[in-house]
Amino acid sequence: MQELVTGTSIRHIVELDKKARERVAQAKKQAEEIDFEAESKKKQMVSDYKEHAKKSLLKMEESYRAEADEKILQIEADKKKKTEDFDNAFSSNRERLADQVFEAVTGKKRRVRNG
């Protein structure tokens, strides 16, 4: 009878060991699947973050470029106006300036020629 109990006990222990090994193997497989899934999600999150950052940078670049273009246009318009003002002032004062330069260089008044 002792042999029967011992044989049954051993079979029971072997069966428990087998089930425990199966559970450990299943747990390892689940852990690997979780690791794989976590790594995949991490890669996707990094990719999404980079894409979002790239889009944000492009928007900022477009905004700054538009702002810079606007300032350039303002500067060019201001330069054009100042150049026109200078040209007009020079044209209207050409004779007087020529007289002043002539007198400063020669010490004499310039003679005006009439056609």
Side-chain angles (χ1 to χ4, degrees), residues 6-112:
T6 306
T8 306
S9 297
I10 291 175
R11 276 190 218 117
H12 183 65
I13 291 171
V14 169
E15 188 64 32
L16 288 175
D17 182 57
K18 183 180 174 185
K19 287 181 181 179
R21 288 178 192 266
E22 288 172 357
R23 287 183 181 164
V24 167
Q26 186 179 13
K28 283 183 181 179
K29 184 179 176 186
Q30 286 177 340
E32 288 172 358
E33 289 172 356
I34 290 170
D35 283 345
F36 179 78
E37 186 177 337
E39 187 64 28
S40 294
K41 285 184 179 182
K42 177 181 137 187
K43 286 179 181 177
Q44 184 62 46
M45 288 174 70
V46 168
S47 175
D48 291 347
Y49 175 78
K50 285 181 179 180
E51 185 65 26
H52 177 70
K54 184 178 178 181
K55 286 179 182 179
S56 294
L57 287 173
L58 285 173
K59 284 181 184 178
M60 287 174 56
E61 181 181 359
E62 289 172 6
S63 173
Y64 287 137
R65 182 164 302 168
E67 186 178 327
D69 288 345
E70 171 106 13
K71 286 183 180 182
I72 288 169
L73 289 174
Q74 288 174 351
I75 290 169
E76 287 176 350
D78 187 46
K79 179 184 83 170
K80 182 179 178 184
K81 176 155 179 14
K82 287 180 180 181
T83 301
E84 287 173 356
D85 290 347
F86 176 79
D87 287 344
N88 290 336
F90 182 75
S91 291
S92 64
N93 294 309
R94 181 183 309 256
E95 289 301 316
R96 187 177 58 80
L97 292 172
D99 290 343
Q100 288 176 349
V101 170
F102 185 84
E103 189 175 338
V105 171
T106 64
K108 299 179 182 178
K109 295 256 183 210
R110 190 173 132 195
R111 287 187 269 163
V112 178

